[in-house]
Amino acid sequence: MCGREFFKFNDSAIVNGVFWSEALNKVFVDNFERDPSLIWQYFGSAKGFFRQYPGIKWKPDEHGVIAFDCRNRKWYIQAATSPKNVVILVDVSGSMKGLRLTIARQTVSSILDTLGDDDFFNIIAYNEELHYVESCLNGTLVQADVPNKDHFREHLQKLFAKGIGMLDIALTEAFNLLGDFNETGRGSECSQAIMLVTDGAVDTYDAIFAKYNWPDRKVRIFPYLIGRESAFADNLKWMACANKGYFTQISTLADVQENVMEYLHVLSRPKVIDREHDTVWTEAYIDNNMDDGKGPVLMTTVAMPVFSTKNETRNRGILLGVVGTDVPVSELLKTVPKYKLGIHGYAFAITNNGYILTHPDLRPLYGDGKKRKRKPNYSSVDLFEVEWEDKEDTLRNAMVNRKTGTFSMEVKKSVDKGKRVLVLHNDYYYTDIKGTPFSLGVALSRGHGKFFFRGNVTVEEGLHDLEHPDVALADEWTYCNTDEHPEHRYLSQIEAIKLYLSGHEPHLQCDKELIQEVLFDAVVTAPLEAYWTSLVLNKSENSDKGVEIAYLGSRTGLSRINLFVVPDELTNQDFLTAEDKEGVFNADHFPLWYKRAAEQVPGTFVYSLPFNSGSENKSVVLASTAIQLLDERKSPIAAGKWGLKWLFLSHTHFYIDRRCDISPYSAM
């Protein structure tokens, strides 16, 4: 179990694994037929091969090599092993000069590749003295996020070999470091390891292990013997076997990658033996294989380990691999009932480490179009970096600790991608989503959403007006879940609403409240179509010159659009189309014109030009206004209207909202 032979990879083992895993193809196809939102499905084998559906043609690098190794990916590591505390000891004695030190550096760097945000680590170099690689971090462990790992890699290059290696001092320091760190309550007491990178050990150091690690053997020892000589191999093998670890010899740089991965099999054994099929979610990352027309897409991965179920191998804890699927973050946003949040309300999610999974102020890319590039360290942006008035991390810590509740604070909120700033008093709801390792937060503007304007219409009346050609529903909003059952997959949202209201499909899951409200919006705004038509028919040659579009939007995602010119004459062909991400209702925000109108006094118009209009002579001028419902008791904003002449090529638009607010606090 402790020798290299047990996990020795060979061609026959890989070929056999490829053969039996072929049965996954049918599983992947069946899964996709049941749920088309499963963009990628894959299985990463502990042997190193990778099976993916749908298949793609892999492109080699400039050296003709495909260097992808699924076992280095975070989704694999997080699913295969539990969170761990790791101390890496690097021998920098005189015998480690030259190639050995180069191999040692690469070995440590490869170990860092196998650590994720749930892990903590530190690196100590030793000869006759101890040298923390980062002297500012003596006596503690740090989170294995990307910035920390990159920082330590830079310091590895500063190591040089001299003197005599005193391993007993290094082991003592490592055990004390792990023990002290556990007392802080951070990290993980379940998986602890000492990685020893050296060219030999003159003793077995059993007295040190007896003092600090026996009989419980909570800390595993993983020696990496650097070089071709094996004079001290027996001592290192004994250390590994006596402390539930694993011994590996690395002779060349080419051996590093494969040999470093060996320890993951050992750390996965407790999960395999206990049959812990834990589902893990990774932090957000950029998938270069996905493209939404504007560049790579932000994704998260859901993964879980795959075990051998054979009785003869169960107690040996054999991990077969990890299975996973990718989930676009945009799909998570679609589950948020945007109409309940209001125009300046927003939803966000963080991982169990406090890093942002999705947030309006998380901008992982820079540049335009397909030239966009990802920013460094975008996946390790902490919540306090965007919710910056949370000075004591009240919100962040509550969400990390999976608490539920609310609290309030004033923040300066940037909107319109940082082009404007509002001072809001936000109330934050936070909760964890069952079965996932991240918490969902909702920010609402305090004091708003107290008043509602609601009405009842018949289903027949509502459906009649909802199906009018000038009516559209928010494309990315979920009125009915059409993905759950294959027979509903090709329905439009309006078709699904009709089917749901007919009562013939009891398994169709819909938002009853949202449907009732959007039917009401359709009925009360229906007279606009006749009004707009009369304006078009009766206008004189010079009347309303330049007006191209009139449109209306409601809080329920309903919009009505009327063209005053033929489509080919529109100045902005993308306006209010799927390509116009800022002008239409999206899963993560209300349209820009809608938000601007709601911020102003009802009855006044807001005029705006696109920020990128520059010095063009023919700019599109946007005008929007809110309509207020007059009532003796309260005065909620109910709708919007238009009626003005233009000197420029223009759009006119307005919106309807049955609340007096910009964020429905009481709806939650």
Side-chain angles (χ1 to χ4, degrees):
M1 295 288 288
C2 301
R4 175 166 172 71
E5 292 74 20
F6 180 74
F7 282 114
K8 184 176 181 180
F9 295 166
N10 54 63
D11 292 341
S12 62
I14 294 177
V15 171
N16 184 54
V18 171
F19 176 76
W20 64 253
S21 66
E22 191 174 357
L24 286 172
N25 289 343
K26 184 179 185 304
V27 175
F28 290 156
V29 172
D30 291 344
N31 288 342
F32 180 75
E33 290 178 351
R34 286 195 300 269
D35 185 359
S37 65
L38 295 173
I39 300 174
W40 298 108
Q41 302 174 74
Y42 39 79
F43 169 72
S45 168
K47 302 296 185 183
F49 67 84
F50 183 68
R51 184 177 290 278
Q52 177 178 281
Y53 177 83
I56 61 172
K57 184 176 181 179
W58 293 82
K59 296 181 180 180
D61 58 22
E62 62 274 14
H63 304 294
V65 177
I66 299 177
F68 176 82
D69 189 338
C70 60
R71 298 166 298 174
N72 264 344
R73 295 302 189 251
K74 286 188 176 181
W75 54 268
Y76 185 99
I77 296 167
Q78 288 180 227
T81 63
S82 302
K84 48 194 173 293
N85 299 339
V86 177
V87 176
I88 304 173
L89 301 179
V90 186
D91 186 353
V92 290
S93 62
S95 60
M96 288 288 290
K97 288 182 179 180
L99 180 59
R100 289 185 179 181
L101 187 58
T102 300
I103 296 175
R105 290 193 188 104
Q106 185 60 43
T107 299
V108 174
S109 181
S110 295
I111 293 173
L112 294 180
D113 286 336
T114 67
L115 304 181
D117 294 338
D118 293 336
D119 305 319
F120 288 79
F121 78 100
N122 207 334
I123 304 175
I124 304 174
Y126 71 93
N127 41 36
E128 62 267 20
E129 297 178 347
L130 298 178
H131 312 275
Y132 277 83
V133 169
E134 173 48 82
S135 58
C136 296
L137 296 172
N138 288 11
T140 188
L141 301 182
V142 297
Q143 190 175 19
D145 56 24
V146 174
N148 284 338
K149 291 191 292 186
D150 288 345
H151 181 74
F152 273 79
R153 283 193 178 95
E154 293 177 1
H155 285 270
L156 285 176
Q157 303 307 315
K158 302 176 183 178
L159 296 179
F160 58 93
K162 69 173 184 177
I164 302 172
M166 304 294 290
L167 182 54
D168 53 341
I169 299 176
L171 288 172
T172 300
E173 178 69 12
F175 279 115
N176 286 328
L177 178 55
L178 290 171
D180 294 343
F181 189 72
N182 284 335
E183 291 180 0
T184 66
R186 302 171 64 197
S188 170
E189 295 184 9
C190 296
S191 295
Q192 302 179 77
I194 296 175
M195 308 292 191
L196 175 59
V197 183
T198 179
D199 63 346
V202 297
D203 194 2
T204 57
Y205 303 100
D206 51 309
I208 294 177
F209 299 128
K211 180 179 179 180
Y212 292 102
N213 206 35
W214 296 345
D216 296 330
R217 298 190 294 178
K218 292 183 177 180
V219 180
R220 297 176 183 266
I221 307 297
F222 295 94
Y224 293 90
L225 178 61
I226 305 300
R228 299 183 182 278
E229 292 80 4
S230 56
F232 300 104
D234 291 341
N235 287 340
L236 294 175
K237 284 182 180 179
W238 182 91
M239 291 165 59
C241 289
N243 294 278
K244 299 168 63 176
Y246 188 82
F247 165 78
T248 302
Q249 185 168 1
I250 302 177
S251 302
T252 66
L253 285 171
D255 296 334
V256 172
Q257 180 69 30
E258 193 67 52
N259 285 279
V260 165
M261 302 302 299
E262 304 284 9
Y263 88 92
L264 291 177
H265 298 285
V266 178
L267 291 186
S268 69
R269 287 174 188 165
K271 296 186 70 173
V272 176
I273 293 172
D274 294 337
R275 291 299 189 264
E276 296 179 9
H277 281 283
D278 297 331
T279 300
V280 301
W281 293 66
T282 67
E283 76 282 0
Y285 64 92
I286 299 297
D287 187 349
N288 292 316
N289 291 322
M290 292 293 296
D291 196 310
D292 63 355
K294 291 189 175 181
V297 175
L298 201 62
M299 308 284 285
T300 180
T301 292
V302 189
M304 64 188 304
V306 180
F307 310 139
S308 172
T309 57
K310 295 180 179 180
N311 291 331
E312 61 269 25
T313 59
R314 178 172 181 175
N315 292 333
R316 295 160 64 186
I318 296 179
L319 177 74
L320 297 179
V322 172
V323 65
T325 185
D326 293 339
V327 180
V329 172
S330 59
E331 290 297 316
L332 299 178
L333 291 174
K334 290 180 181 180
T335 65
V336 177
K338 183 62 181 174
Y339 74 100
K340 292 185 178 181
L341 304 186
I343 66 169
H344 288 305
Y346 57 91
F348 57 93
I350 64 173
T351 67
N352 58 320
N353 293 298
Y355 293 145
I356 295 173
L357 184 69
T358 175
H359 191 284
D361 283 343
L362 177 63
R363 294 183 286 273
L365 302 175
Y366 65 91
D368 297 321
K370 293 189 176 182
K371 295 182 179 179
R372 292 192 304 173
K373 298 181 180 180
R374 58 185 177 184
K375 299 176 181 178
N377 307 327
Y378 70 90
S379 62
S380 54
V381 177
D382 204 289
L383 182 63
F384 73 82
E385 298 182 56
V386 291
E387 300 291 344
W388 55 273
E389 281 296 321
D390 184 19
K391 296 179 180 178
E392 297 181 356
D393 289 342
T394 304
L395 172 67
R396 177 191 182 279
N397 292 341
M399 293 181 68
V400 168
N401 294 327
R402 304 294 183 90
K403 295 181 179 179
T404 60
T406 66
F407 87 105
S408 302
M409 67 182 185
E410 287 190 359
V411 298
K412 291 181 179 179
K413 175 64 183 172
S414 64
V415 295
D416 303 346
K417 295 184 178 180
K419 298 182 177 73
R420 295 186 297 151
V421 174
L422 297 176
V423 178
L424 303 175
H425 196 121
N426 280 352
D427 286 279
Y428 290 87
Y429 292 77
Y430 41 92
T431 181
D432 66 310
I433 302 177
K434 186 176 181 181
T436 65
F438 58 83
S439 297
L440 177 70
V442 175
L444 304 173
S445 298
R446 187 179 184 184
H448 298 284
K450 296 180 180 178
F451 311 123
F452 297 85
F453 178 69
R454 285 178 173 169
N456 293 319
V457 296
T458 65
V459 172
E460 293 77 12
E461 191 179 16
L463 287 178
H464 175 270
D465 291 325
L466 191 64
E467 293 183 286
H468 197 275
D470 74 335
V471 173
L473 297 183
D475 182 58
E476 295 184 0
W477 287 21
T478 302
Y479 299 83
C480 294
N481 184 357
T482 58
D483 291 331
E484 187 170 350
H485 296 284
E487 61 269 23
H488 303 146
R489 194 161 299 151
Y490 303 104
L491 296 174
S492 68
Q493 285 297 310
I494 291 181
E495 291 171 338
I497 290 173
K498 289 177 60 179
L499 197 60
Y500 168 73
L501 293 175
S502 70
H504 296 154
E505 287 290 339
H507 299 297
L508 185 59
Q509 301 296 319
C510 297
D511 189 327
K512 182 178 180 180
E513 178 184 350
L514 177 58
I515 290 177
Q516 289 176 336
E517 294 185 1
V518 80
L519 289 179
F520 178 77
D521 285 355
V523 173
V524 299
T525 61
L528 276 174
E529 190 272 335
Y531 174 65
W532 283 334
T533 300
S534 67
L535 288 178
V536 174
L537 294 176
N538 297 326
K539 72 175 184 177
S540 63
E541 182 180 349
N542 294 320
S543 177
D544 296 322
K545 182 179 181 180
V547 174
E548 297 183 350
I549 300 178
Y551 50 96
L552 169 148
S554 77
R555 181 183 55 83
T556 59
L558 178 141
S559 61
R560 287 183 178 270
I561 304 173
N562 186 81
L563 297 182
F564 282 71
V565 297
V566 296
D568 291 342
E569 294 180 5
L570 288 173
T571 303
N572 186 351
Q573 297 290 334
D574 292 335
F575 187 63
L576 297 182
T577 65
E579 290 74 22
D580 181 19
K581 294 297 183 181
E582 295 299 329
V584 297
F585 292 88
N586 282 336
D588 59 342
H589 70 263
F590 279 76
L592 184 57
W593 52 267
Y594 188 108
K595 292 187 287 186
R596 287 175 174 169
E599 294 164 5
Q600 306 302 317
V601 176
T604 61
F605 276 90
V606 180
Y607 305 93
S608 61
L609 287 169
F611 283 96
N612 59 355
S613 61
S615 59
E616 296 179 4
N617 294 327
K618 293 184 178 181
S619 296
V620 177
V621 180
L622 306 179
S624 57
T625 185
I627 293 181
Q628 187 175 31
L629 174 70
L630 298 179
D631 188 277
E632 294 180 356
R633 295 161 297 174
K634 304 295 180 184
S635 297
I637 295 173
K641 70 175 183 179
W642 72 281
L644 71 163
K645 295 183 180 180
W646 292 93
L647 298 177
F648 305 98
L649 294 172
S650 60
H651 296 303
T652 309
H653 50 245
F654 52 92
Y655 84 103
I656 179 171
D657 194 334
R658 287 158 296 142
R659 304 182 180 198
C660 69
D661 65 317
I662 59 175
S663 192
Y665 173 78
S666 57
M668 299 300 291

